[in-house]
Amino acid sequence: MVNYEHYTYKVTWSTEDQEFVGLCAEFPSLSYLDENRSTAIEGIINLVKDIVADMEANDERIPEPIAEKTYSGKFQVRIPPEHHRRLAIEAAEQNVSLNRYVSLKLWF
């Protein structure tokens, strides 16, 4: 059983709609609009709660909350050789490994 409260929620302003929009990362097709920020977050949480209950009732696969997933800390990125060379030079100039250098660049 998935806990809908463990999903990743956010509220942002929609210039197009002139309202706040509540969003859930695990359900990118869902949103909830309201003129009040608090109501928008409450609205998306309740919408996801209802969707999860419906999916459970129909034995559908329910997305796992991002917060509950385990990550290895590794992923591969393919870049052009010239970018690889430039990054290797910059890392050497900073006296750190390429892995450490790219990790720091991604973080900041």
Side-chain angles (χ1 to χ4, degrees):
M1 179 180 252
V2 173
N3 186 335
Y4 68 91
E5 292 181 342
H6 293 185
Y7 286 122
T8 306
Y9 298 100
K10 76 174 184 178
V11 174
T12 189
W13 178 253
S14 170
T15 303
E16 180 181 331
D17 298 302
Q18 291 295 297
E19 290 187 300
F20 290 100
V21 58
L23 303 165
C24 180
E26 292 85 352
F27 290 89
S29 64
L30 299 180
S31 63
Y32 190 92
L33 290 166
D34 198 274
E35 61 187 32
N36 180 287
R37 178 186 299 271
S38 298
T39 305
I41 193 68
E42 185 179 317
I44 190 64
I45 291 170
N46 288 329
L47 179 58
V48 168
K49 177 183 176 182
D50 292 344
I51 295 294
V52 168
D54 186 58
M55 291 175 81
E56 284 177 344
N58 291 297
D59 292 324
E60 294 180 51
R61 187 181 99 40
I62 302 167
E64 179 181 6
I66 293 170
E68 294 179 359
K69 290 182 179 181
T70 303
Y71 294 91
S72 69
K74 296 187 279 184
F75 64 95
Q76 289 187 324
V77 178
R78 299 208 185 279
I79 60 173
E82 58 273 12
H83 291 173
H84 191 168
R85 179 178 292 107
R86 182 179 50 80
L87 288 168
I89 291 168
E90 291 172 10
E93 291 171 345
Q94 297 292 319
N95 198 29
V96 296
S97 70
L98 177 58
N99 188 64
R100 172 69 59 178
Y101 185 72
V102 171
S103 176
L104 290 171
K105 284 190 77 79
L106 288 170
W107 185 252
F108 294 104

